[in-house]
Amino acid sequence: MQQQALGALPGSNAPQRPSDEAADQPTSRPKRVLLNRSCPARRCSQRNNHEKPSEGERGSGLIKGSAPLLDLFNKSSSSWVASDDTELANSRIPPGLSVAQVPGTRLQAPLILYVETLGIYKDAWRLTLPTSRSTNSPPLYILRENCIKRIFQFIDLDLSASATSPITRRYSLAGILSNGQESTIHRNEDPLGTRQFFGSDTTISCEVTARIDNRLVRFSEGRICIMSGGGQGGRGGKDGRGRGHARGGGAAGYGAGQGGGRGQPPRGPGAGGGPGGDRAGFPPPQRGGYQQGRGQGGFRGGFGGGGARDGYNGDDNAPKIFSDSTDPNPQPDPAITKAENNYIESQKTTIGGLAKLAVSEAPFPQRPGYGTRGSPITLFANYFTLAITGQLKIYCYNFKLVEGTALGRKLKRLVHLLLRDPRLAGAATDYTSILYSTAPLPMPLEVPVQYVEEFENQPRPGNYKFLVAGEPIVHDVTGLVEDLRAISSQVDRNSRQAIVQALTTLMGTYPTSSPNTLTLAANRHYPHGPPNPSASWDLGGGLEALRGYFRSVRLATCRILYNVNVSHAVVYSAIGLDEMMSRFGTSDWRQLHKFLRRVRVKTNYLKDEKGNPITKVKTIAGLATKEDGRGLTHKPEMAADGSGPDDVRFYLSPEGEAGSGTSTGKAKATKSGGPPPTSSKGFLGPGYISVSEFFRTRHNRPPQRKDLPVVNVGTKDKPTYLPPEVCQVLPGQTTRKTINPTQTQAMIKRACRPPGANARSIKDHGTKVLGLEEPSNAFLVKNGITVVPKLIVAPGRVLPVPDVRYGERKSVKPTEGSWNMNRIKHHSAGRNTSWAWVWIQNTTHSNPFGRQPPIESFLAALLSYGVNIQPPVKGLPLVLDRRQGKEHIERELSTRVFSKLDTLPGKPGTLFVILPAQETTLYKVIKYLGDIRFGIQTICVMADKFFKGQPGYFANVALKFNLKAGGTNQVLDDGRLGVIGEGKTMVVGIDVTHPSPGSQDGAPSVAGMVASVDKSLGQWPAVLSVQAGRQEWVGALDSMLKSRLDLWRQKNQTLPENILVYRDGVSEGQYLMVRDTELPQLRKTCREKYPAPQTQKGLPRISIVVVGKRHHTRFYPTADQHGDKNGNPKNGTVVDRSITEAFSWDFFLQAHTCLQGTARPAHYFVVVDEIFRAKYDRRPPFPGGNTADALEDLTHNMCHLYGRASKTVSLCPPAYYADLVCERARCYLNAFDESASDNGGGPDITQMQNDVTIHQRLRNTMFYI
């Protein structure tokens, strides 16, 4: 009889093992093993011994055929038939159980029970029950080796079997229970089934599951979760050198590798590796490994494939290509396509036989046409169509607080309470000053509000009153829809944006008000609690990640769209503050102090007159420090900063608030010189008391964790101290701090899901969370708004791939967005500069590699790629104690390395640095010293990677060497660069980066500009400028452009006729800012630099294209042939229809191949154009093409010229390089990226401009690579 993996379905093919990028990685993994006479493990053990080690057997995966799954019972007897397990051989089947087979591929009756082993891998069994058994009967649970083996019930689409009331039943299985005793197991709800259970009396869950159309489908709380994954992995080779074969295929996610066989000489004895397993959302046991170290145990067996990873919708392992069962042949809406074509034709007028688009009064250039170049494809987009019926108008009212004062979070809370007034039922707000309603409100409207802090149970003192008054602004949504259908601009741009904002706010009424949804940043919503269990995972260090949905209203040709995308957020874990401190670590009080600043907590140690707890919400100002209470007569006393409750003493006056546990800051002496007064409540003051003693005597809550520091929930001037044990961190608080690399890796691992999983989540789960389906869409339906529950389909094109040219007239053709540089030299080498190297080592590990760095082989690799370089003049290890802080690192590197380079022969201009680890502070100091202070090019590598000596790693480093030396790594044929290939166009990239989370108040923004120096686009020198924090427009644009024009003229002996600007870092609402503020600066600079004859000819011509990368548009292939191996659209995919507006010139381009997760295309919007229309309207760039093709093709081709990689990149290089140079500026301003200083005072902008002024020797180089 054919063997199939447990959970596999007859008659279907084994799928590929899913990607691991977003898999959950708990510390243990469940093991499900099918034991029977024909399993691979048994067959392997029956083979003859071989003299040489055998390779492990291939995982069984899924074998085609229609045979039902095998039974584990012998029908002729009541004994177990479980191969290779003598302990089970004589065990009896419990009375009342009989045997039945699974008929076909669709499970009917009988009920099937699967036993799952948690924790200890030993064995697993499958039991079958008769068809007459009641579906309400309790499942059977078996205890073995103190592990509970949970059983999943499989029935045929009968949700009623998932009883929620506890059922108790006892089974006594002789020889199976490790202690020989009976066990009582209760069944109750646990929808995700992720808990581990130990002991003899345990609460456990039961899930109802069925097979439908060859898929394993799990029903829980009314949700359907598709589980798919690998089949059973093969057993490892029999001899010690044997190795388990490849991971098993399979369809249902229950397969598992069995581990290597027991080792035989010559490698020595030892048990084989442990099992692989599926990823169905359960804690897996640890991966199999060597039992006694390398050379002792057998090699690991293969691992089972992946199932649903986190239990969240069960769709993480959805098919890589998203499909809609309601639309088997998805095609773009023909009415939209027809309207788009008609609009372009209507804009053309024939003048002398030439097609010319009519000039309009639109604020931005009109679309010259839709692109035609490339192979056509169809794609899903993460948009839904909003259908508006009837006459929908939105009334916009201004409101203000006329009694009481409040700002920030407090004002937002008051507005939330304002909406509870019944007269404002159905209204929505932006939580600042505007109310939106679909019906007129009675005016004027005064609304008193009693302030109750969220999570508190008593109102706070104070009177507050809002006034809603004035004539409303009426937004005619129906009129906008008619305007869109007519593709006209009767509704001006400002009114359009106002309507979009109003409609977006109204659409958020349900998720914003839902108690089971956490709302962050107005339009990001994260479900938690029933009926939408949250998708959250621990990142370590007191932080966790949430998965939810972003939403926004968008305008497109003839319709309004609703953009929904999967969103993630990092928040503080809602746990006890003492637990959070333990997770973060208390060894460095300064880091803990920064981490906890502004975190909100609730306390309940206070009691009212009846003894009921009083909940109070506090904001942490930090840990206790000696600087606290600087203005008080009696400052707090403590042994050291960050002290615990025993060591922090505060002055308690008789007027002090008796319940807070700390001083109010009022120091008042007693009237007599006698001893301080006391009472039944303990010390009353005046005098000093420790935090521990106060909570022991006043609240009967002596702190137990005296090793943890107390927190200040007052202010620096008037501190209030609490032990962390009485504080609970409030949920939903986003962190303002930058997460560390380990947390970033954990975030990426789960957030980067396959495209198909994200698309499925949006359609099936996101619509429920956002209230787009019945019955939660009652508010929308009432107002004539319905959401078409289908992702829209957009036409796309895959642009042709250019050949990439290298040195010695060699060229390569990229495949799937990348290419190999084997035996290829850079196109042109840079100048010959001398170099030195330094190997930075930790004090505790002098040489963990046991050898010297492979400098000679690295030098040979550089020469093989054509880098113009000589052997290094000096190299040495440097022992550096990085624990002593930034100042020590800077001093040591400055005196012992950089200052000595000028004394070496040849005065090396490049320093090659081998770093001991990924240490941010060390890297920033090196770049600051090299780029700003000493003018030395620095190239950093990681020691663990460099010592491996891999050619691919050396090749990537060689790219940096050549660029920093002024070389060009790769080029394209002139014909593939259009107007740039003529040598008269300078390409400019501009970006502005703002202070990172947790930066000091007043920290600056940094503007960066890069520009090409010739038509090859190989070199992009840069200039930086510091400006006021959060300032969006570039203030020093004139001086920055002058420096780039001077460099172009130095290289080409003339000024460029065209300036093509790719502007990064601009939102859609700031397009007019670029046109009205930055464009005049560019023109002014050009008038000053260009001679009069050229300016009279209209030179230079300027085009500005805004590059957007922080949008939420995603595309999903509709068929395998339209996607890549990861399920994303193919690289080179461009979309300019269906989700865009006809009269705006924009397009989406996914130039790259996404290595993991869902690809994000770049959005390009033309703000100004004086180059392309003038050149290509009369002479199209391609046969049958138009001006739109010229810009799309040029932008795509430039993405192959990113000099730091042999692959296409997601952004065109000007924008990419501008972003890199801004990030480099953050290295120089490191001091202002730390959390706010306690000493006050803002940064000196003038000094910081000096800190980003590049050294003269590097000013015209790509120092930032």
Side-chain angles (χ1 to χ4, degrees):
M1 181 178 288
Q2 287 180 311
Q3 165 64 28
Q4 289 183 302
L6 183 60
L9 295 174
S12 58
N13 295 324
Q16 294 283 335
R17 184 181 183 273
S19 168
D20 287 343
E21 67 260 12
D24 191 8
Q25 296 290 341
T27 57
S28 61
R29 177 170 297 183
K31 184 63 182 179
R32 302 178 179 88
V33 181
L34 177 62
L35 297 178
N36 53 53
R37 294 185 178 89
S38 58
C39 73
R42 184 174 178 87
R43 292 197 304 269
C44 181
S45 64
Q46 293 173 345
R47 292 177 179 169
N48 296 328
N49 293 332
H50 299 283
E51 293 185 1
K52 66 178 183 178
S54 63
E55 183 181 1
E57 224 177 274
R58 179 176 298 276
S60 61
L62 180 66
I63 301 176
K64 294 182 179 180
S66 58
L69 298 178
L70 297 178
D71 241 46
L72 293 185
F73 303 105
N74 188 326
K75 294 183 179 182
S76 62
S77 68
S78 60
S79 62
W80 293 78
V81 182
S83 61
D84 298 334
D85 197 320
T86 57
E87 184 177 0
L88 294 178
N90 297 321
S91 299
R92 307 291 296 179
I93 297 178
L97 298 184
S98 60
V99 179
Q101 276 192 309
V102 182
T105 62
R106 198 170 175 83
L107 181 64
Q108 311 293 333
L111 183 69
I112 296 183
L113 302 180
Y114 278 122
V115 184
E116 174 191 1
T117 302
L118 292 179
I120 300 178
Y121 162 61
K122 175 67 177 177
D123 40 33
W125 310 275
R126 183 181 63 146
L127 308 179
T128 59
L129 301 180
T131 58
S132 60
R133 183 176 172 82
S134 170
T135 57
N136 288 324
S137 297
L140 176 64
Y141 296 91
I142 303 173
L143 285 177
R144 178 178 177 80
E145 298 175 337
N146 295 325
C147 294
I148 290 182
K149 298 158 184 180
R150 181 173 33 203
I151 303 171
F152 292 95
Q153 296 187 18
F154 292 71
I155 69 170
D156 187 40
L157 303 179
D158 185 3
L159 293 178
S160 64
S162 183
T164 58
S165 59
I167 299 175
T168 302
R169 183 73 175 268
R170 295 187 176 186
Y171 293 94
S172 178
L173 304 179
I176 295 182
L177 291 176
S178 59
N179 55 11
Q181 301 296 321
E182 293 184 350
S183 175
T184 302
I185 304 299
H186 300 274
R187 183 182 76 180
N188 75 336
E189 289 184 282
D190 179 17
L192 297 182
T194 57
R195 291 175 292 177
Q196 296 187 30
F197 308 97
F198 298 92
S200 62
D201 198 334
T202 308
T203 301
I204 200 165
S205 69
C206 180
E207 296 180 88
V208 183
T209 313
R211 298 184 192 277
I212 306 175
D213 298 332
N214 289 343
R215 291 185 183 278
L216 195 62
V217 182
R218 185 175 63 202
F219 294 80
S220 177
E221 292 288 323
R223 296 182 301 110
I224 298 178
C225 309
I226 298 179
M227 303 168 60
S228 61
Q232 184 175 0
R235 184 165 180 160
K238 185 170 183 178
D239 295 322
R241 295 179 184 270
R243 183 179 180 88
H245 206 284
R247 304 175 182 184
Y254 284 88
Q258 291 212 19
R262 184 169 297 276
Q264 299 292 334
R267 296 297 291 272
D278 69 291
R279 291 194 179 95
F282 308 101
Q286 296 191 1
R287 294 172 59 157
Y290 309 107
Q291 186 184 35
Q292 303 176 23
R294 189 172 181 87
Q296 298 294 324
F299 281 86
R300 296 171 291 186
F303 296 103
R309 294 185 177 110
D310 60 6
Y312 179 73
N313 277 352
D315 59 6
D316 277 13
N317 197 37
K320 68 177 183 179
I321 301 298
F322 170 76
S323 61
D324 189 341
S325 60
T326 64
D327 189 4
N329 184 29
Q331 294 295 325
D333 189 332
I336 301 298
T337 302
K338 181 179 179 180
E340 291 170 335
N341 294 337
N342 289 343
Y343 174 77
I344 296 299
E345 291 300 321
S346 69
Q347 298 302 302
K348 295 180 180 180
T349 58
T350 301
I351 303 177
L354 297 176
K356 182 178 181 180
L357 288 174
V359 177
S360 72
E361 297 179 357
F364 303 113
Q366 294 285 291
R367 184 183 299 276
Y370 290 102
T372 60
R373 186 166 171 79
S375 303
I377 59 174
T378 55
L379 305 164
F380 287 110
N382 58 336
Y383 289 82
F384 300 96
T385 301
L386 285 186
I388 308 296
T389 59
Q391 296 295 318
L392 176 60
K393 294 183 179 180
I394 300 177
Y395 297 84
C396 173
Y397 295 90
N398 290 320
F399 69 87
K400 61 181 178 180
L401 189 64
V402 294
E403 186 173 342
T405 58
L407 296 172
R409 188 191 55 78
K410 183 177 181 179
L411 176 60
K412 184 175 181 179
R413 175 62 179 169
L414 282 169
V415 175
H416 179 80
L417 297 172
L418 165 69
L419 294 180
R420 295 183 178 180
D421 190 283
R423 294 169 293 179
L424 298 177
T429 180
D430 63 353
Y431 288 94
T432 56
S433 61
I434 301 176
L435 282 176
Y436 299 102
S437 175
T438 56
L441 299 176
M443 290 292 111
L445 191 62
E446 291 187 351
V447 184
V449 175
Q450 190 176 35
Y451 183 68
V452 180
E453 179 63 71
E454 189 178 14
F455 302 107
E456 291 188 350
N457 51 11
Q458 293 186 352
R460 293 192 177 186
N463 298 318
Y464 301 92
K465 182 184 293 184
F466 285 97
L467 174 64
V468 184
E471 287 296 322
I473 299 175
V474 182
H475 297 309
D476 187 356
V477 180
T478 303
L480 174 61
V481 173
E482 294 173 353
D483 192 63
L484 292 172
R485 289 172 179 170
I487 316 183
S488 68
S489 55
Q490 297 299 317
V491 181
D492 63 84
R493 185 176 184 84
N494 290 334
S495 297
R496 284 169 172 252
Q497 291 179 344
I499 294 175
V500 167
Q501 177 61 38
L503 200 52
T504 298
T505 304
L506 282 176
M507 294 289 294
T509 301
Y510 175 81
T512 302
S513 60
S514 172
N516 297 321
T517 303
L518 173 67
T519 297
L520 301 176
N523 57 355
R524 288 174 170 83
H525 309 280
Y526 302 88
H528 65 91
N532 297 307
S534 63
S536 62
W537 58 95
D538 183 51
L539 299 178
L543 298 177
E544 64 181 24
L546 303 178
R547 179 182 297 149
Y549 299 94
F550 166 89
R551 61 175 185 84
S552 69
V553 172
R554 309 276 302 175
L555 302 183
T557 302
C558 297
R559 56 185 172 178
I560 300 177
L561 300 178
Y562 201 46
N563 181 208
V564 179
N565 192 31
V566 174
S567 176
H568 296 89
V570 178
V571 298
Y572 290 95
S573 299
I575 55 179
L577 185 60
D578 53 343
E579 174 64 19
M580 175 169 286
M581 286 184 173
S582 299
R583 292 185 184 184
F584 184 85
T586 59
S587 59
D588 189 335
W589 76 268
R590 290 183 177 86
Q591 293 300 322
L592 181 60
H593 174 81
K594 296 171 185 177
F595 177 73
L596 294 178
R597 286 188 74 250
R598 303 179 185 177
V599 173
R600 300 173 66 231
V601 297
K602 65 178 180 180
T603 66
N604 58 6
Y605 63 90
L606 298 176
K607 309 291 183 181
D608 62 14
E609 296 178 353
K610 297 181 179 180
N612 299 318
I614 300 174
T615 302
K616 291 288 186 181
V617 174
K618 303 290 184 180
T619 301
I620 297 176
L623 303 184
T625 69
K626 293 183 177 181
E627 295 296 320
D628 292 349
R630 288 173 293 189
L632 299 179
T633 304
H634 300 280
K635 292 180 56 178
E637 297 177 346
M638 61 197 71
D641 293 333
S643 293
D646 283 351
D647 298 324
V648 176
R649 302 173 67 243
F650 61 91
Y651 189 85
L652 181 66
S653 68
E655 297 178 359
E657 197 272 321
S660 69
T662 58
S663 167
T664 62
K666 297 180 179 180
K668 186 174 181 179
T670 57
K671 294 182 179 180
S672 66
T678 61
S679 72
S680 60
K681 291 186 177 181
F683 177 70
L684 296 179
Y688 281 92
I689 185 173
S690 70
V691 174
S692 287
E693 183 66 14
F694 183 89
F695 272 84
R696 184 187 68 82
T697 59
R698 190 66 61 89
H699 302 293
N700 195 28
R701 291 282 300 269
Q704 302 299 314
R705 294 293 307 274
K706 298 184 178 182
D707 58 316
L708 298 178
V710 299
V711 292
N712 177 11
V713 295
T715 64
K716 293 294 295 181
D717 294 334
K718 295 183 178 181
T720 300
Y721 300 121
L722 295 177
E725 296 162 67
V726 302
C727 301
Q728 181 79 17
V729 180
L730 296 181
Q733 298 183 78
T734 56
T735 175
R736 301 179 70 245
K737 286 78 177 175
T738 303
I739 60 178
N740 62 42
T742 301
Q743 293 168 331
T744 300
Q745 184 179 12
M747 179 74 175
I748 293 175
K749 199 164 192 176
R750 290 286 298 274
C752 291
R753 302 197 303 165
N758 279 342
R760 180 61 59 189
S761 290
I762 291 170
K763 182 180 182 298
D764 294 347
H765 188 241
T767 52
K768 296 180 177 64
V769 173
L770 300 179
L772 306 181
E773 295 183 355
E774 295 180 355
S776 56
N777 64 345
F779 172 78
L780 300 181
V781 173
K782 175 184 175 182
N783 291 284
I785 304 173
T786 57
V787 177
V788 180
K790 294 173 57 176
L791 297 183
I792 71 168
V793 180
R797 291 166 287 115
V798 180
L799 299 177
V801 177
D803 290 338
V804 181
R805 291 174 51 204
Y806 282 92
E808 299 177 340
R809 297 185 178 181
K810 291 184 178 180
S811 63
V812 294
K813 174 70 74 173
T815 302
E816 296 182 349
S818 63
W819 55 94
N820 196 321
M821 289 186 58
N822 187 30
R823 298 181 181 179
I824 290 179
K825 295 181 181 294
H826 301 145
H827 181 267
S828 60
R831 56 190 171 277
N832 189 346
T833 58
S834 60
W835 63 295
W837 61 271
V838 59
W839 177 19
I840 300 177
Q841 302 176 34
N842 295 322
T843 56
T844 55
H845 301 89
S846 58
N847 189 344
F849 302 98
R851 57 189 174 91
Q852 291 300 306
I855 296 297
E856 292 185 2
S857 58
F858 176 61
L859 176 61
L862 295 180
L863 295 173
S864 70
Y865 289 111
V867 178
N868 190 2
I869 198 170
Q870 300 297 324
V873 298
K874 186 69 175 179
L876 73 161
L878 172 66
V879 176
L880 186 64
D881 186 358
R882 295 178 286 124
R883 297 171 296 180
Q884 296 189 30
K886 175 178 176 291
E887 291 75 15
H888 171 76
I889 294 174
E890 183 175 344
R891 182 173 59 254
E892 290 291 292
L893 288 174
S894 177
T895 57
R896 297 175 60 186
V897 179
F898 283 93
S899 61
K900 292 184 178 181
L901 291 178
D902 280 343
T903 65
L904 297 177
K907 296 184 177 181
T910 298
L911 179 65
F912 182 65
V913 185
I914 305 173
L915 300 176
Q918 191 171 353
E919 184 15 81
T920 303
T921 300
L922 176 60
Y923 177 83
K924 290 180 177 180
V925 171
I926 291 172
K927 294 304 178 181
Y928 173 76
L929 293 175
D931 298 347
I932 305 298
R933 286 187 51 187
F934 291 95
I936 301 295
Q937 297 280 14
T938 54
I939 299 174
C940 298
V941 296
M942 301 295 296
D944 58 340
K945 296 181 179 179
F946 183 72
F947 270 82
K948 292 178 181 178
Q950 295 179 348
Y953 188 73
F954 285 173
N956 287 335
V957 179
L959 295 174
K960 294 184 180 182
F961 259 93
N962 198 48
L963 289 176
K964 287 176 178 285
T968 297
N969 288 341
Q970 71 256 33
V971 300
L972 302 180
D973 290 326
D974 292 346
R976 301 309 299 264
L977 293 177
V979 66
I980 298 175
E982 299 173 2
K984 301 177 182 180
T985 301
M986 182 175 75
V987 187
V988 177
I990 302 174
D991 191 16
V992 177
T993 182
H994 300 295
S996 60
S999 297
Q1000 178 180 339
D1001 293 339
S1005 294
V1006 180
M1009 176 185 287
V1010 301
S1012 61
V1013 297
D1014 54 35
K1015 67 178 182 179
S1016 68
L1017 304 183
Q1019 281 289 306
W1020 300 79
V1023 61
L1024 289 163
S1025 177
V1026 170
Q1027 59 189 41
R1030 304 296 170 185
Q1031 177 179 306
E1032 301 292 347
W1033 54 277
V1034 181
L1037 199 56
D1038 51 352
S1039 61
M1040 298 171 76
L1041 181 62
K1042 284 180 182 179
S1043 68
R1044 301 306 94 194
L1045 290 173
D1046 288 340
L1047 186 58
W1048 176 278
R1049 180 160 51 187
Q1050 177 184 333
K1051 300 286 185 180
N1052 300 276
Q1053 288 75 50
T1054 185
L1055 292 171
E1057 294 184 1
N1058 305 310
I1059 300 177
L1060 173 57
V1061 178
Y1062 284 90
R1063 175 67 160 94
D1064 194 8
V1066 173
S1067 66
E1068 292 183 354
Q1070 297 166 340
Y1071 291 165
L1072 287 174
M1073 177 205 72
V1074 174
R1075 188 198 67 177
D1076 298 337
T1077 303
E1078 295 185 345
L1079 177 61
Q1081 290 190 69
L1082 297 177
R1083 294 197 190 280
K1084 177 178 177 292
T1085 301
C1086 291
R1087 287 195 299 268
E1088 295 173 356
K1089 297 294 293 185
Y1090 281 72
Q1094 287 185 294
T1095 58
Q1096 291 172 1
K1097 295 179 181 179
L1099 300 180
R1101 292 176 286 269
I1102 299 176
S1103 289
I1104 302 178
V1105 182
V1106 170
V1107 185
K1109 57 180 181 292
R1110 294 182 178 89
H1111 59 83
H1112 290 269
T1113 297
R1114 302 293 184 269
F1115 300 109
Y1116 314 101
T1118 59
D1120 286 330
Q1121 63 269 26
H1122 296 165
D1124 61 19
K1125 60 184 179 181
N1126 296 322
N1128 284 300
K1130 294 181 179 179
N1131 63 287
T1133 294
V1134 62
V1135 178
D1136 59 3
R1137 308 181 73 132
S1138 284
I1139 62 172
T1140 61
E1141 290 193 79
F1143 45 76
S1144 296
W1145 187 1
D1146 66 331
F1147 60 92
F1148 293 86
L1149 173 63
Q1150 183 205 312
H1152 67 301
T1153 295
C1154 187
L1155 299 181
Q1156 63 177 353
T1158 304
R1160 175 172 56 186
H1163 181 222
Y1164 298 87
F1165 187 98
V1166 181
V1167 175
V1168 178
D1169 175 46
E1170 298 172 350
I1171 300 175
F1172 294 95
R1173 294 286 297 274
K1175 181 175 181 61
Y1176 295 114
D1177 273 1
R1178 295 175 177 270
R1179 182 179 300 174
F1182 311 107
N1186 56 51
T1187 304
D1189 286 313
L1191 180 58
E1192 293 172 2
D1193 192 68
L1194 171 62
T1195 303
H1196 172 243
N1197 290 340
M1198 278 198 294
C1199 291
H1200 294 77
L1201 293 179
Y1202 180 65
R1204 208 170 68 170
S1206 56
K1207 61 179 61 179
T1208 55
V1209 288
S1210 58
L1211 294 178
C1212 60
Y1216 208 133
Y1217 288 140
D1219 183 76
L1220 286 181
V1221 75
C1222 286
E1223 288 303 313
R1224 176 59 58 85
R1226 287 292 162 201
C1227 295
Y1228 314 145
L1229 302 175
N1230 178 43
F1232 299 100
D1233 278 345
E1234 302 293 341
S1235 292
S1237 162
D1238 293 329
N1239 298 324
D1244 184 344
I1245 296 294
T1246 303
Q1247 177 59 43
M1248 286 188 292
Q1249 181 59 53
N1250 294 333
D1251 288 340
V1252 301
T1253 300
I1254 305 304
H1255 195 282
Q1256 182 65 37
R1257 287 192 291 199
L1258 305 184
R1259 201 160 292 175
N1260 294 329
T1261 70
M1262 296 182 71
F1263 61 89
Y1264 54 89
I1265 289 295

